[in-house]
Amino acid sequence: MPRFDPAEFSRLLARLSPQELRQAEGLVADARKRAEAVIEIDARADAGGPAASCPRCGGDARTRWGRTRTGAQRWNCSGCGATWSGRSGTPLARVHRPDLVVTLARDMIEAPQPMSCRRGAEVLGASRHSIWRWRMAIIGALTPCRHRRSRRSPPTREPKGVEGVGPAPA
């Protein structure tokens, strides 16, 4: 990808008609919305967020290790060699389109009637199965952890008694 040259960009903008400028503004606004989630993740990681230390060993010695395909900064632990990004361990981990998840979350929170999975798929241009998984991740992130059980420990069942009934006669 060629390097961005602000002077050349300014010259190109000066040659656009008013209608073309409106179209360019819309394209820039859309690109900004898409990049918003990645920018926020990187800012939190740099400020000591979830990516500040290694998720495997907890070490603070890290080096930049490229970027994910969505543009988020990847990190490498100097101690154990693990790699991670600011999204590791969050509901956005392994999501290739965080901009669409942010849009979906905004719709779920702000809209009086959130979109259905099918409608969300049409509007956002993703499969309805992806929309459903993203919705479940958003709901899981908003749900308090105290009601969740570990997968390894089965629920304990205590016998339910009936009030007023004693033990069976011998």
Side-chain angles (χ1 to χ4, degrees):
M1 181 174 201
R3 196 135 174 92
F4 176 72
D5 181 13
E8 179 65 23
F9 186 67
S10 177
R11 284 190 292 275
L12 288 172
L13 285 176
R15 289 187 263 164
L16 296 178
S17 69
Q19 183 179 7
E20 291 170 332
L21 272 174
R22 270 195 301 274
Q23 288 176 335
E25 285 174 351
L27 293 172
V28 169
D30 289 345
R32 185 175 189 84
K33 282 182 186 176
R34 285 193 306 271
E36 185 177 79
V38 174
I39 291 168
E40 177 69 22
I41 290 164
D42 282 345
R44 286 181 184 223
D46 290 338
S53 61
C54 175
R56 186 190 297 167
C57 71
D60 291 330
R62 64 182 182 161
T63 56
R64 293 183 186 271
W65 202 252
R67 294 200 169 264
T68 65
R69 74 181 211 181
T70 57
Q73 179 67 54
R74 288 201 59 76
W75 300 97
N76 182 9
C77 177
S78 300
C80 69
T83 63
W84 73 95
S85 73
R87 284 189 258 160
S88 299
T90 70
L92 290 178
R94 297 188 175 140
V95 172
H96 298 290
R97 296 292 310 271
D99 55 315
L100 297 182
V101 176
V102 169
T103 303
L104 184 65
R106 284 186 182 141
D107 174 71
M108 289 174 66
I109 293 169
E110 296 171 357
Q113 180 66 38
M115 292 186 285
S116 67
C117 290
R118 287 177 192 239
R119 179 71 180 136
E122 290 172 9
V123 170
L124 299 175
S127 75
R128 70 178 200 268
H129 303 290
S130 294
I131 301 296
W132 183 83
R133 283 193 316 273
W134 296 345
R135 286 175 70 122
M136 294 301 106
I138 293 166
I139 291 169
L142 297 176
T143 304
C145 294
R146 62 188 166 104
H147 295 296
R148 295 184 191 163
R149 286 192 299 254
S150 170
R151 287 185 177 180
R152 295 182 186 189
S153 61
T156 56
R157 291 189 150 196
E158 295 178 17
K160 295 182 180 178
V162 180
E163 263 186 57
V165 178

